Amino acid sequence: MIKHIFWWFMIAKFPFMTASLNVHVQFQEIAGALDSALTGASLAPVQNSHSDQGKYSNWLSSGLAARKSGSAGSNPGCEWAISAAPDDFIYVIHDITCLATEVSGDYLVHVLQLLSSCSTEILVLVKQSILDGGKSLSTTLPLVINTIIEGLVEKAVEDLRQLKGITATYRMTNKPLPVRHSPYVSGVLRPLKETKKELLLGAATKITGCYHELAAELISVARKTESSLLKIRQGAQRRAAASSDVSDHNVSDTDKICMQLFLDIQEYGRNLAALGVEAADIPAYRFLWQCVAPPDRQSVIN
């Protein structure tokens, strides 16, 4: 019976939630089930049920798990989470917060009033069950927040992958040392511009971590390639009886790549600041800076 009262309460108090989360339950069906429970069931057999079937927090957790795996699998009804946009989960956070507050507040008081004629044992059991339900709702909040962050990071990384083109821009092209950031940098943080402040730092930290990984890999490959090319040139010059000194003191292709990345991460840091995030406070950004900054700029992030 408690479950029916709960759903009745949800529809009365949170019509937006039941619509936004695509809960396919007809009002008349719930009303009928509630009427049957109230008229045909007695309170004597009330027990502490441990069944997880039909509870909101389990439905949400199943949906988030399906989204992470990319498939509903054996959990039909979870397709909504797979197709949902990251912004949709902002509403889920709002719903969870409101529902958890109401369940442990007005709803609890209302149910206990309805059952005031019951024994103390039943009242204690019902109260604890409702409070446990409120706690289970609260525990889903970090999962939802992480889902939003993962969605934002995925969008940002799509732009970050463009940095691989820097190698083709400078490898054996004789282009001058870069003086401006790359176009891709402006789009990296675009998904965060409409995100709430409490999600910004988490998403920015993960995006910066991906940035560092991609940049470090790019530089590592560039240095290995340059080392191989240098050996080939040295061998060719030795065979031609030329001078063994093949270094011409010009800026190397790898130096140009590093300078381009250095200009890029400075612009990236300015974009973070515009969102209210201090780049230097993110460990991955400090590693990224040390990875690409010239020797005389390593110590101070500016």
Side-chain angles (χ1 to χ4, degrees):
M1 186 180 77
I2 295 301
K3 181 172 71 174
H4 296 307
I5 296 176
F6 173 68
W7 279 105
W8 181 279
F9 178 82
M10 280 180 63
I11 291 180
K13 295 286 285 183
F14 301 100
F16 171 74
M17 181 186 71
T18 55
S20 68
L21 295 181
N22 200 21
V23 181
H24 298 294
V25 182
Q26 296 296 323
F27 181 84
Q28 291 298 329
E29 294 176 358
I30 296 177
L34 176 61
D35 290 337
S36 298
L38 291 175
T39 58
S42 67
L43 292 176
V46 172
Q47 297 176 351
N48 186 11
S49 172
H50 295 285
S51 173
D52 289 333
Q53 296 301 318
K55 289 180 182 178
Y56 175 86
S57 58
N58 285 282
W59 171 81
L60 179 57
S61 297
S62 297
L64 297 178
R67 180 182 178 89
K68 192 172 185 66
S69 65
S71 172
S74 59
N75 297 308
C78 295
E79 292 79 8
W80 67 271
I82 298 175
S83 60
D87 291 347
D88 294 336
F89 289 95
I90 297 291
Y91 299 107
V92 178
I93 291 176
H94 174 268
D95 291 344
I96 292 173
T97 303
C98 291
L99 183 57
T101 300
E102 290 288 346
V103 163
S104 301
D106 293 345
Y107 171 70
L108 175 60
V109 173
H110 180 64
V111 170
L112 293 179
Q113 287 175 346
L114 290 176
L115 303 180
S116 58
S117 60
C118 297
S119 67
T120 302
E121 180 184 1
I122 290 178
L123 291 177
V124 170
L125 181 62
V126 169
K127 180 179 180 180
Q128 190 58 50
S129 296
I130 293 175
L131 290 176
D132 288 345
K135 290 179 182 178
S136 70
L137 286 168
S138 299
T139 58
T140 61
L141 270 177
L143 299 176
V144 178
I145 291 174
N146 193 56
T147 297
I148 297 174
I149 290 175
E150 288 176 352
L152 295 172
V153 171
E154 184 177 346
K155 287 184 177 181
V157 170
E158 291 177 5
D159 287 304
L160 272 180
R161 291 195 177 100
Q162 297 180 41
L163 68 81
K164 293 182 178 180
I166 294 175
T167 299
T169 301
Y170 294 104
R171 177 65 65 207
M172 302 180 70
T173 60
N174 290 324
K175 285 192 174 184
L177 196 68
V179 295
R180 179 176 172 77
H181 67 81
S182 302
Y184 77 87
V185 181
S186 300
V188 173
L189 297 177
R190 189 175 294 119
L192 303 189
K193 291 185 178 178
E194 298 180 358
T195 304
K196 289 189 174 182
K197 292 294 183 182
E198 57 264 31
L199 300 174
L200 276 176
L201 183 59
T205 298
K206 286 197 173 185
I207 292 170
T208 306
C210 293
Y211 203 156
H212 173 242
E213 290 176 5
L214 288 169
E217 180 183 5
L218 187 75
I219 293 174
S220 176
V221 171
R223 285 176 175 156
K224 289 178 181 177
T225 302
E226 186 161 314
S227 178
S228 298
L229 290 174
L230 180 59
K231 291 179 181 179
I232 293 173
R233 289 172 188 157
Q234 288 175 334
Q237 289 201 356
R238 280 196 295 269
R239 287 192 294 273
S243 169
S244 61
D245 184 11
V246 296
S247 60
D248 54 9
H249 302 293
N250 289 333
V251 179
S252 70
D253 293 341
T254 302
D255 291 335
K256 295 175 184 177
I257 292 171
C258 286
M259 179 54 70
Q260 183 64 73
L261 287 171
F262 184 54
L263 294 169
D264 292 351
I265 69 164
Q266 290 181 83
E267 176 66 11
Y268 176 76
R270 287 189 286 269
N271 292 341
L272 281 174
L275 292 172
V277 177
E278 186 62 41
D281 292 339
I282 302 176
Y285 187 83
R286 298 196 292 269
F287 294 143
L288 179 58
W289 182 279
Q290 293 171 359
C291 181
V292 302
D296 60 340
R297 301 286 300 275
Q298 290 276 331
S299 58
V300 180
I301 297 179
N302 184 6

